Amino acid sequence: MTNVSESAAAEPGTAITDFGIDTTTRSTREAVRDYAARLRAGDIGSLPAILGLIALVVLFSLMSDVFFSLNNIANLLAQGAGQTIIAIGIVFVLLIGEIDLSAGTASGVAGAVLAMHYVDNGNLLTGMGSTVFFVFNAMLVLAAILAGLLRIWPGVAFSVLGIILTVIGFQANPWIEMLLAVCVGAAIGCITGFLIAKIGMPSFVVTLALFLAWQGVILQLIGEGGVLGINSSHVLNAVANGNLSTAASWVLCVVAAGGYAAVTLGGHLRRRRRGLVTSPTPLVVAKVVALSGFAIVVTALLTVNRSPSKLIVISGVPYVVPIVLVLLVAGTYVLTRTTYGRHIYAVGGNLEAARRAGINVTQLRASVFVICSACAAIGAIVYSSKVGSVDPQAGGLNTLLFAVGAAVIGGTSLFGGRGRVADAVIGGAVLAVVSNGLGLLRQPAAVVSIVTGLVLLLAATVDALSRRRVAITGR
């Protein structure tokens, strides 16, 4: 009898048929039917968030004449960018089944250090006082040591760089301030990750304690009732309030849409050439055309002058858009195209199985908190730029809840193992539309909080029900 390997050697096409489950080509109808089956089985992904976002946009556009104005569209993009960026980092933590309640106040600490460095012209020793300055640098040293013990070398690098920037005392420079904020965020993540992954403390307890601790640090740095203004810096102010030029906006559109089309279509064609399962070509092309068309329409709208005054021209895509896009692409690449990303899903799916498979679970669990806190620092830069200052409430409770809410509303599971970076962006858009739309309708803060809470509760309910459905169906 001829065995499989001999048949494969004689006929190259035979090897493909032996693994039909991996290589069967599906028609468009079969792909749609398969997607419907997955939905019935509970694998709904970010579909509820997308449908909810569309419904909210339609509702608010009907109830407010201003909602679809050019100024409001641009404001909407910048309004939720800070919490969306923090949510991107939280996705990494949620994927391993943990939680980071300190991400909000960690971003506040990073924002406070950024503002203090700018206001005091780089002299943090004078701004903090000798005792606080010594403790602050000791924290950075501790973070570097802990990251070294865990072999998280990016954490070591950022912590050491933070020490260099604070001790040498570079003069105020917006790029130095932003880099320092990210270094502080990464150092905080090193400490958080070590306590949870190495010591074995529950993430809820650790991050709740650090939430309170970092809130106290912010008060110590800024003082009760104090405010550190940064709007006099053109660069810092432009992060959330500036716009690309018209030409740069179209370049961004071409690069983003063209890059997405190249990656999607290129991957599709490679899979077809290798005889692997892939979505039907018409569906792939339709997806690329739809997203590219959306990018073109938004860019065309944002490059129109939206200034109410004839003396001033305000046009172009806000700077926060490429910032979010870069983080989205980078995070998606890490999770879907690297061994590290696959290990994150493995740990979130079954920690003990991942450990037995040889994954360094301790190092990986700690590293996601470094990513989370670093993203929180970037979110602090955007948020501080938007309001033009940093106060003792920076990174307060709403910042954290909205960031976690954005990730969960977008489709990332609270139980680990399921989610994407894009979920944070979709969920952030939902929360931004809710806040913006209710604000245009002049609803009080109480109504905004109630509606936002109900949206988050609905998302958590959908997540729990979908997981139960998956467990029942076994898909």
Side-chain angles (χ1 to χ4, degrees), residues 412-430:
T412 299
S413 176
L414 285 166
F415 303 97
R418 191 175 66 188
R420 306 170 302 163
V421 173
D423 294 341
V425 178
I426 296 171
V430 171

Side-chain angles (χ1 to χ4, degrees), residues 353-378:
R355 191 192 310 276
R356 296 190 178 198
I359 297 174
N360 189 337
V361 173
T362 300
Q363 181 190 55
L364 186 137
R365 291 179 68 215
S367 67
V368 296
F369 286 94
V370 178
I371 294 174
C372 181
S373 294
C375 286
I378 298 174

Side-chain angles (χ1 to χ4, degrees), residues 75-103:
N75 181 59
L76 190 58
L77 294 173
Q79 188 171 345
Q83 67 190 30
T84 298
I85 292 171
I86 299 175
I88 287 174
I90 288 178
V91 165
F92 283 81
V93 174
L94 293 179
L95 283 175
I96 65 167
E98 302 288 356
I99 188 68
D100 189 351
L101 299 178
S102 66

Side-chain angles (χ1 to χ4, degrees), residues 113-130 133 136-137 165-173 176-177 180:
V113 173
L114 175 150
M116 181 169 286
H117 191 279
Y118 174 74
V119 171
D120 293 324
N121 196 28
N123 189 353
L124 288 178
L125 176 59
T126 300
M128 293 180 174
S130 57
F133 182 79
F136 175 74
N137 279 281
L165 293 177
T166 55
V167 172
I168 293 180
F170 292 94
Q171 289 189 337
N173 181 293
I176 294 294
E177 270 96 60
L180 178 59

